[in-house]
Amino acid sequence: MDLTIKGRSHGILSFFFHSASLDLQNVITMGNSIIGVSILAMPWCFAKVGVLLGTILLILGGWLTRQSCTLLLDASIANRCFSYEYLSLMICGKWAKLAVEICTIGFLLGVCVAFLVTMADLLPPVISRLLNVPESGTLRALTLTVIAIFIALPLSLVYKISNLSNLSAFSIAFYILLALKVFLDALANPQGPNSWYRDSQSWAPQNFLAVFPIFATGLSCQTQVFVMYESLSEPSPHRMKGIIADAVFMCILLYWSVGIVLPIPT
């Protein structure tokens, strides 16, 4: 199914981020590469800094992400190099290339560990109830092994990120359903624990340093910029900037919608 919408975008995404084109398929794929377990931390972040300050910090994190990606694209065009590592080599030398490679490896390793730890915490209880087997360390290890070998490894070997567009669409649909479920539960029980105004505050800057790194890294997509750029059928910096802007804005909406309706006690 072709999800590409060509031409100039005049929708809400363009209004906020001035996107030149709304390439829905690539926006969804890029957005799915941004969203992660950070969405689970949004209620805690908003509870710590308040709804108003949390919203400002979330938008600021998205703006910084967009600006850094724009700098990467502009530098790559100026040097005619669309590789994170070789761009650092051309600009700063071989030691910069080595540093970028080490940082990228560390970043990807951290993402992999976070993914596996989250799956190990969430899936074994579900499997235990479905199969009526005791939850144990063996079940946890077996679950991690199956996920790593038969899910994570094949997906990581896909050559073009655009080939994952259908899976990305299902993933984004799940996040949207999650946000709608949380929001509808909050509306159905306005006085309950899911009330968006219960025990909430609007401004608590004393927790800024604890929260802003989560907002910033939760929207980061710099390592995917060149991978996505090379997968475009008609690559152009202008088009890529629009994809990044719309994907970041989509993620901000999802993070915000989950964060404000699930405040937790501070």
Side-chain angles (χ1 to χ4, degrees), residues 31 100 120 133 172 215:
V100 168
V133 297
I172 293 296
F215 283 141

Side-chain angles (χ1 to χ4, degrees), residues 35 38-43 46 51 54-55 58-59 172-187 194-196 215 219 248-263:
I35 298 180
S38 297
I39 195 171
L40 302 178
M42 289 300 113
F46 276 88
V51 175
T55 301
L58 189 59
I59 294 175
I172 293 296
F174 170 80
Y175 291 126
I176 294 175
L177 289 176
L178 171 64
L180 288 176
K181 175 65 167 57
V182 170
F183 186 75
L184 291 177
D185 285 347
L187 289 180
N194 286 349
S195 172
W196 69 271
F215 283 141
L219 292 168
V248 169
F249 181 67
M250 177 180 66
C251 295
I252 288 176
L253 282 181
L254 287 173
Y255 283 167
W256 183 81
S257 61
V258 171
I260 65 166
V261 296
L262 273 180

Side-chain angles (χ1 to χ4, degrees), residues 84-211:
Y84 216 148
E85 298 80 8
Y86 286 99
L87 181 60
S88 60
L89 174 65
M90 297 181 65
I91 296 177
C92 301
K94 62 179 182 180
W95 292 110
K97 177 178 179 293
L98 178 62
V100 168
E101 290 173 338
I102 293 175
C103 291
T104 302
I105 292 172
F107 172 76
L108 295 177
L109 181 61
V111 171
C112 183
V113 170
F115 170 77
L116 292 176
V117 168
T118 303
M119 291 296 102
D121 289 339
L122 297 178
L123 282 183
V126 176
I127 297 175
S128 177
R129 288 193 294 267
L130 289 178
L131 301 181
N132 196 21
V133 297
E135 187 178 348
S136 62
T138 302
L139 178 61
R140 181 184 177 97
L142 181 61
T143 302
L144 283 178
T145 303
V146 172
I147 291 175
I149 296 177
F150 297 103
I151 298 179
L153 181 61
L155 290 177
S156 64
L157 295 177
V158 174
Y159 180 71
K160 283 190 175 183
I161 192 173
S162 57
N163 293 334
L164 301 175
S165 58
N166 290 332
L167 289 176
S168 298
F170 280 112
S171 180
I172 293 296
F174 170 80
Y175 291 126
I176 294 175
L177 289 176
L178 171 64
L180 288 176
K181 175 65 167 57
V182 170
F183 186 75
L184 291 177
D185 285 347
L187 289 180
N189 189 15
Q191 300 298 330
N194 286 349
S195 172
W196 69 271
Y197 57 84
R198 183 183 177 90
D199 298 325
S200 63
Q201 51 188 341
S202 60
W203 194 271
Q206 66 272 16
N207 298 316
F208 168 81
L209 292 179
V211 168

